[in-house]
Amino acid sequence: KQEVTQIPAALSVPEGENLVLNCSFTDSAIYNLQWFRQDPGKGLTSLLLIQSSQREQTSGRLNASLDKSSGRSTLYIAASQPGDSATYLCAVHYNYGQNFVFGPGTRLSVLP
Amino acid sequence: SAVISQKPSRDICQRGTSLTIQCQVDSQVTMMFWYRQQPGQSLTLIATANQGSEATYESGFVIDKFPISRPNLTFSTLTVSNMSPEDSSIYLCSVEATGLGYGYTFGSGTRLTVV
């Protein structure tokens, strides 16, 4: 069964801290992995996409890594800001099938 | 990448009624995907909609409850039929992005409350 887990489920940090969100998946036959941000009651905003052949992607203060062999991806957020407060979801697109399998998300609060 | 316009953004509906959610994409796409996000939960795929054929539903979802239309390559609707409070969720449509690196783009979501 394809499962995606994320830890921690929730995280509260003071502004300015660097932080790491973790995503694990059970099947390494992935096509790509995508990190999303979701604000309360809203849709999803794509943050970073990592293809199965890549090890990391960077966008501004965000860096996502991928280790297929261990079934893990991390999202690193540097110098966190209150505006980063949201739920962060990772989603795995497997080689077979057309849809994503989503993790449960990490709810991040950055305190001013 | 593709831009999706989804509406309504939110609605409060009476038990037993139906609501149709629309998604319009600014480019032609082969497949559109409909997801449900129940309160406090992650996203679950409802169905995949191809233009010109019937939608493919995931386990636990049926056409009578969630009929889908896909009249052309830029538009799709999802209807939530005979609603009950358990249908209160955020519903999202998605397409595969056409920009660099592929990936998926999501609509802004429809927040449905059934009373």
Side-chain angles (χ1 to χ4, degrees):
Chain A
K1 181 182 176 183
Q2 300 164 343
E3 289 187 0
V4 178
T5 56
Q6 290 185 247
I7 55 172
L11 182 63
S12 184
V13 300
E15 181 176 7
E17 277 203 6
N18 303 323
L19 50 98
V20 175
L21 309 181
N22 297 288
C23 173
S24 298
F25 46 94
T26 55
D27 189 338
S28 62
I30 73 170
Y31 184 64
N32 58 44
L33 183 147
Q34 198 163 353
W35 282 93
F36 294 90
R37 169 188 172 135
Q38 185 177 31
D39 292 291
K42 303 294 185 182
L44 276 65
T45 301
S46 178
L47 298 174
L48 289 165
L49 170 72
I50 310 179
Q51 302 292 350
S52 62
S53 59
Q54 297 174 324
R55 294 188 66 86
E56 67 176 341
Q57 284 286 327
T58 298
S59 175
R61 294 183 293 108
L62 305 179
N63 175 277
S65 68
L66 175 65
D67 184 344
K68 276 199 318 178
S69 61
S70 65
R72 293 183 181 179
S73 176
T74 61
L75 179 66
Y76 176 82
I77 302 176
S80 58
Q81 303 171 356
D84 295 330
S85 298
T87 296
Y88 290 81
L89 296 159
C90 73
V92 177
H93 186 186
Y94 287 96
N95 286 338
Y96 40 94
Q98 296 290 339
N99 59 296
F100 275 135
V101 178
F102 278 85
T106 293
R107 191 170 65 254
L108 173 65
S109 296
V110 181
L111 307 174
Chain B
S1 60
V3 176
I4 304 174
S5 174
Q6 182 174 344
K7 58 181 182 181
S9 59
R10 58 174 57 208
D11 207 341
I12 301 173
C13 300
Q14 295 292 323
R15 182 194 301 255
T17 63
S18 299
L19 176 71
T20 296
I21 302 167
Q22 300 179 3
C23 273
Q24 177 75 51
V25 189
D26 68 347
S27 58
Q28 293 184 340
V29 293
T30 303
M31 288 184 288
M32 294 181 71
F33 306 91
W34 287 97
Y35 287 85
R36 180 177 73 180
Q37 186 179 28
Q38 294 176 300
Q41 304 294 317
S42 192
L43 281 73
T44 302
L45 182 68
I46 298 172
T48 302
N50 288 318
Q51 193 268 335
S53 63
E54 285 211 358
T56 302
Y57 288 82
E58 298 298 307
S59 176
F61 298 97
V62 295
I63 188 171
D64 289 346
K65 177 65 176 178
F66 298 100
I68 288 171
S69 77
R70 185 78 202 277
N72 57 53
L73 291 173
T74 63
F75 187 78
S76 179
T77 67
L78 170 76
T79 299
V80 186
S81 303
N82 188 26
M83 288 184 286
S84 66
E86 292 71 33
D87 294 320
S88 298
S89 298
I90 298 174
Y91 293 85
L92 300 107
C93 62
S94 173
V95 302
E96 189 166 9
T98 54
L100 289 174
Y102 307 97
Y104 288 77
T105 301
F106 282 79
S108 55
T110 297
R111 189 170 195 171
L112 170 62
T113 302
V114 183
V115 298

